[in-house]
Amino acid sequence: MADTASPAWVGLFDLFRIGIGPSSSHTVGPMVAARRFVSELPADGFVSVAVDLYGSLALTGKGHATDQAVMLGLLGERPDTVDPDAVPGMIARLRETRALPGPGGTTLRFDPDADILFHRRESLPQHPNGLAFRAMPREGTPLRRVFFSVGGGFIVEEGEDGASNDGGVPAVPYPFETSASLLAVAEAAGLSIAELQRENERATRDDAEIAEGIARIWAAMGACIDRGLRQTGELPGGLHVRRRAPGLYQRLLNREGRNEVDPLLGMDWVNLYALAVNEENAAGGRVVTAPTNGAAGIVPAVLRYYTTFVPGADQRGIETFLLAAAAVGSLIKRNASISGAEVGCQGEVGSASAMAAAGLAAALGGNNAQVENAAEIGLEHNLGLTCDPIGGLVQIPCIERNALGAAKAINAARLALHGDGIHHVSLDQVIRTMRETGRDMSSKYKETSQGGLAVNAIAC
């Protein structure tokens, strides 16, 4: 059950995308698909547009703001540039005018309340996150295009061979398809995993562009943490979940002022960083998919831990962290899935935990075997994790789950660095197990809100 039509190589800038919350598969992907559909619409002859949502997009689309994402995409907005604070106004105007700007200066009729249809009892066979766009002509047959949002903001159109967001797959100097081949290729080339990933990134960007891109991603992650520390109040959606990050932030600052000795103080800060990011995500704020929005707090929390608590942490270490994390993320995406709707939350939090563990181990000077071991530990101990968001919202258990995933990643890196890299279970075996577990997992535990906590804790 590899991600539908996953490309052979996935780069750092594919896995880490700046966007908005609350979901990469249910918000970012549908927005990208809607924008692509309307931007490629022929210049004349069409008078109205309608959208059909299937499977998980229909079942949890309201809670994941899929309908709003579709509206924004049809308005021509992009996840990486849309202003989250301007979104409510844009949605309100569209609901009032019931019209979209069409190609060639035309206008298309579109009533969001009537023309976005949630087919909650129907799923398309290719992937649980399916959506279809229909453009109605003045006369004749409607134009229909079907897309699948396969996780992490990636989309695939029906009949395509690969993820379509960024064009074709580049030829890279050091291709790898498994962790075994990654280790072998790196050893033969005399490169660390991060260095090998950097060489592959050079297939599409020069060194200055890579450095600038990584700095931009890390700045966006840091800004998300910092904004999450300041925002107060309840998260949207009706569960009345209050933001906890600002209160915890003040308590930690007060404890520092008292100069108390607490061996686990660093872990409290890691929890804080993860909570801050995922509360921002739940509120529809600016986040970085890492590799998804539902797991967006783990990599930033562990990377902020590195820059804050590790002596000698520097920009080179940040680049090493994210490059090694990307190498691991590409393996998981190629050979299993990062989509909660496909394999459950093991594909989101598990993947992010593995990526963060590998990144931290690499930044701390671990050798390639230790980095692979850190990723294996991080993913292995998230196997079987279900995706059962209460109310279809990316809040409970998702926000706390990121804090736990970050803690697991740090522990996985430390365990691996205390070893010599030799271990009984390989990362390839764990990825394969995750894929098979996802295949066997009931659909009610895969981002449909039809099982688990979603039905046993409705009183929340």
Side-chain angles (χ1 to χ4, degrees), residues 243-299:
R243 289 181 183 254
R244 287 184 288 173
L248 176 56
Y249 181 45
Q250 287 303 315
R251 287 192 294 275
L252 292 179
L253 290 178
N254 293 339
R255 281 169 56 182
E256 283 194 342
R258 293 194 297 268
N259 200 27
E260 295 177 352
V261 176
D262 182 352
L264 295 180
L265 182 61
M267 197 59 68
D268 286 338
W269 282 98
V270 172
N271 288 335
L272 172 64
Y273 303 147
L275 292 176
V277 170
N278 283 85
E279 287 175 354
E280 275 298 286
N281 179 64
R286 173 76 64 218
V287 298
V288 178
T289 61
T292 66
N293 282 29
I298 295 170
V299 169

Side-chain angles (χ1 to χ4, degrees), residues 108-119:
L108 300 169
R109 294 195 307 272
F110 180 71
D111 180 355
D113 294 324
D115 294 327
I116 300 179
L117 305 178
F118 293 79
H119 301 277

Side-chain angles (χ1 to χ4, degrees), residues 376-427:
E376 178 269 320
I377 296 171
L379 185 58
E380 178 182 357
H381 297 289
N382 282 288
L383 288 175
L385 196 59
T386 58
C387 185
D388 49 357
I390 295 175
L393 298 165
V394 193
Q395 297 179 17
I396 304 173
C398 318
I399 295 171
E400 286 183 353
R401 189 166 283 173
N402 275 256
L404 272 292
K408 283 185 178 181
I410 294 171
N411 203 23
R414 292 178 67 87
L415 281 170
L417 292 174
H418 281 303
D420 57 8
I422 298 173
H423 51 289
H424 290 285
V425 179
S426 71
L427 178 58

Side-chain angles (χ1 to χ4, degrees), residues 323-389:
L323 286 162
V328 168
S330 71
L331 286 172
I332 298 172
K333 177 163 178 59
R334 173 178 174 78
N335 296 305
S337 178
I338 59 172
S339 168
E342 237 185 333
V343 296
C345 201
Q346 59 176 350
E348 298 201 30
V349 164
S351 297
S353 236
M355 292 166 64
L360 181 59
L364 294 177
N367 61 39
N368 288 350
Q370 290 171 319
V371 170
E372 186 264 355
N373 188 199
E376 178 269 320
I377 296 171
L379 185 58
E380 178 182 357
H381 297 289
N382 282 288
L383 288 175
L385 196 59
T386 58
C387 185
D388 49 357

Side-chain angles (χ1 to χ4, degrees), residues 112-130:
D113 294 324
D115 294 327
I116 300 179
L117 305 178
F118 293 79
H119 301 277
R120 293 181 175 86
R121 297 188 178 183
E122 187 176 353
S123 185
L124 301 181
Q126 296 93 327
H127 193 279
N129 289 336

Side-chain angles (χ1 to χ4, degrees), residues 48-87:
S48 64
V49 170
V51 185
D52 299 289
L53 304 177
Y54 298 94
S56 180
L57 292 183
L59 289 163
T60 61
K62 285 286 187 180
H64 286 59
T66 305
D67 50 347
Q68 293 189 33
V70 166
M71 294 183 229
L72 292 171
L74 292 175
L75 287 169
E77 297 292 337
R78 294 170 37 141
D80 58 336
T81 58
V82 65
D83 179 2
D85 294 330
V87 167

